[in-house]
Amino acid sequence: MNRLVYYRDSNLTKGIRVQNKITPNLWFDGNAKEAAEFYVSVFPDSKVTSTVYYPKSAAEGLADFQLELAGKPLVVEFQLGGVQFAAINAGPEFTFSEAVSFAVTCKDQTEIDYYWDKLSSVPEAEQCGWCKDKYGLSWQIVPENMQELMAKPNAYAKMMQMHKIMIADF
């Protein structure tokens, strides 16, 4: 299958459907469609692109352990800001951890505040600009000039005291 590569600076690809060569596949416990719809509501230039459903019966290939998922969404593909994702609707066998997170680079404090307010749902998981959403997925909400901020005196110590990054506090 041919996949298009999206170059943000290219006029040749404007308006063409974006496909990553590598697509993050996120495992959800029966709420993949709900999660995908939530994420596309948070990020501009985002949309659900397709939904594939489980078979409706064992006769159609559904395994015994999947019977409760009959006819429900199996995979929901969606784009967030031009990046393709897939949400897999499965069971409780696997959950998210902080070992994998998605960084959202923000142009200013207003944008940091927006994403933090939308995504942060687990206050005890907040540290140094990291937060966890209501589905357990970890996010890093950081300013685009984070490298510059970290070059300031005592920046690391200041950051370690923050939950949400506060640019003015550097």
XYZ file of all heavy atoms in Angstrom, residues 13 18-19 61 66 71 73 75 82 84 90 103 108 117 123 126 151 156:
126
model
N 1.625 19.217 -1.545
C 0.802 18.241 -0.828
C -0.357 18.869 -0.072
O -1.077 18.170 0.630
C 1.671 17.454 0.171
O 2.283 18.373 1.075
C 2.717 16.632 -0.541
N -3.468 12.837 4.715
C -2.206 12.558 5.384
C -2.163 11.112 5.855
O -3.125 10.604 6.406
C -2.045 13.492 6.601
C -0.785 13.172 7.374
C -2.071 14.937 6.164
N -1.051 10.439 5.629
C -0.836 9.095 6.150
C 0.594 9.030 6.650
O 1.513 9.427 5.942
C -1.054 8.052 5.066
C -2.472 8.018 4.570
C -3.093 6.668 4.789
O -2.455 5.654 4.685
N -4.362 6.656 5.106
N -16.858 -15.116 12.032
C -15.448 -15.152 12.413
C -15.130 -14.632 13.796
O -13.971 -14.637 14.206
N -14.593 -12.750 22.098
C -14.954 -11.457 21.523
C -16.468 -11.256 21.399
O -16.906 -10.217 20.921
C -14.335 -11.313 20.130
C -12.829 -11.327 20.117
C -12.278 -11.382 18.717
O -12.812 -12.080 17.852
N -11.194 -10.657 18.479
N -20.363 -6.544 16.573
C -20.953 -5.386 15.915
C -20.432 -4.038 16.389
O -20.795 -3.007 15.835
N -17.358 -1.099 17.229
C -16.149 -0.679 16.517
C -14.936 -1.514 16.917
O -14.722 -1.784 18.101
C -15.960 0.780 16.942
C -17.342 1.233 17.307
C -17.995 0.026 17.930
N -11.631 -0.954 15.001
C -10.564 0.029 14.825
C -11.180 1.337 14.351
O -11.964 1.353 13.404
C -9.516 -0.452 13.791
C -8.439 0.613 13.580
C -8.892 -1.763 14.223
N -3.126 16.539 11.664
C -2.400 16.008 10.520
C -1.628 14.727 10.794
O -0.962 14.218 9.905
N -1.806 10.734 11.737
C -2.728 9.597 11.722
C -2.543 8.734 12.978
O -1.424 8.436 13.378
C -2.479 8.754 10.473
C -3.492 7.678 10.231
C -4.813 8.204 9.724
O -4.908 9.292 9.181
N -5.861 7.434 9.912
N -10.612 -3.055 22.313
C -10.340 -4.414 22.778
C -10.813 -4.567 24.218
O -11.929 -4.189 24.529
C -8.856 -4.714 22.614
N 3.831 14.463 22.945
C 4.173 15.844 23.250
C 3.375 16.777 22.355
O 3.293 16.565 21.142
C 5.669 16.073 23.063
N 2.320 29.422 22.988
C 2.311 30.375 24.102
C 1.554 29.791 25.296
O 1.045 28.659 25.226
C 1.702 31.717 23.666
C 0.296 31.588 23.080
O -0.446 30.633 23.428
O -0.080 32.448 22.263
N -6.186 22.193 30.115
C -7.580 22.137 30.591
C -8.351 21.002 29.933
O -9.185 20.359 30.573
C -8.294 23.468 30.337
C -7.760 24.597 31.207
O -7.051 24.316 32.208
O -8.047 25.765 30.878
N -4.928 14.639 38.452
C -4.008 15.600 39.080
C -2.756 14.974 39.692
O -1.672 15.556 39.613
C -4.870 16.261 40.158
C -6.266 16.133 39.647
C -6.299 14.821 38.916
N 0.279 14.761 37.345
C 0.833 15.982 36.770
C 2.217 16.289 37.329
O 2.403 16.321 38.545
C -0.080 17.168 37.069
C -1.454 17.044 36.455
C -2.407 18.144 36.895
O -2.017 18.992 37.726
O -3.541 18.146 36.414
N 17.577 26.816 29.269
C 18.922 27.376 29.324
C 19.027 28.504 30.354
O 20.130 28.962 30.662
C 19.325 27.890 27.939
N 15.840 24.025 35.524
C 15.451 22.644 35.858
C 14.763 22.590 37.221
O 13.711 21.958 37.367
C 16.672 21.719 35.824
C 16.311 20.268 36.000
C 15.816 19.529 34.934
C 16.426 19.646 37.243
C 15.460 18.202 35.097
C 16.069 18.322 37.412
C 15.590 17.597 36.337
O 15.223 16.292 36.496
